[in-house]
Amino acid sequence: MLSDQIPYIISILFLVAFTFPIIMVARLAKKGGVKNGFWLVLSFYIIYLTIVAIASFNGFFDAIMLPPKIVVTTTLPLAIVVTILYNTKVCKKANTLLSLKDLVQIHIFRLIGSTFIILFLYNLLPPVFALFSGIGDILTAATSIFVAKAIQNKKSYAIKLTYIWNTFGLVDILVTSAMAIIFTKISIDTGSQGVEFLAKFPFCFIPAFAPPTIIFLHLLVFRKLSSKKV
């Protein structure tokens, strides 16, 4: 069930840690005044990720292809779902009710990006990809604390700082996603190590959940910044 290429305890700790992003996103929906928002979001991700896990167990994502099968069958569909959601009246209303601080501090969950570095240490991911992605996530998560604090204390530079921070975080996740495609292409062409381990359970949850969800959250911050009610 769990990959024997890495100690089981790391996989188990990852699974435990991964519950926090899901719960935090669900709580954000509740704070935004979405009716039954917490349970709707939680139920959606539980069902969705259960399907992803079953697919991973059955080797559905194992074939090394371009674009990666896990991207085509999980990342892309979720991206379509959140894009539709982003343009709904419910989402726009929730965005007005949520504080800028709420929308920023939720990104603390990106500390889970340290998983990339851990997998690199076990020679399961290319070093350039793992270090860029892991360090980018950790920086975005850590600095979200200071940005949220500046917003809370109504510092004169808070809005400008939020724009800079949010742009950095968004570019980081976009580049990480692009690098995953690039390293898959290199792997196919040269037989070198790619990012195929991210198709294994439970780490398949990263590409299935992270890119669309994180991009969606960053876009909510930009929407909030462009509104008059920051």
Side-chain angles (χ1 to χ4, degrees), residues 28-29 31-34 82-99 103 216 219-229:
L28 195 68
K31 279 189 174 184
V34 178
V82 297
T83 298
I84 294 171
L85 177 61
Y86 180 78
N87 291 290
T88 62
K89 291 181 179 179
V90 173
C91 182
K92 291 175 182 177
K93 182 180 178 181
N95 215 163
T96 62
L97 295 176
L98 289 165
S99 70
L103 291 168
F216 172 73
L219 292 178
L220 291 182
V221 174
F222 278 128
R223 174 181 278 170
K224 189 70 176 180
L225 287 168
S226 64
S227 72
K228 296 180 180 179
K229 297 182 178 180

Side-chain angles (χ1 to χ4, degrees), residues 54-120:
I54 292 171
S56 180
F57 289 150
N58 287 280
F60 183 73
F61 306 126
D62 287 353
I64 300 176
M65 54 183 281
L66 197 66
K69 200 169 187 179
I70 194 167
V71 171
V72 174
T73 58
T74 67
T75 312
L76 182 58
L78 182 58
I80 293 171
V81 169
V82 297
T83 298
I84 294 171
L85 177 61
Y86 180 78
N87 291 290
T88 62
K89 291 181 179 179
V90 173
C91 182
K92 291 175 182 177
K93 182 180 178 181
N95 215 163
T96 62
L97 295 176
L98 289 165
S99 70
L100 183 59
K101 178 188 173 187
D102 287 333
L103 291 168
V104 169
Q105 65 185 9
I106 190 174
H107 286 267
I108 189 66
F109 78 69
R110 286 181 68 174
L111 284 173
I112 202 169
S114 58
T115 301
F116 289 121
I117 298 175
I118 293 171
L119 295 180
F120 155 65

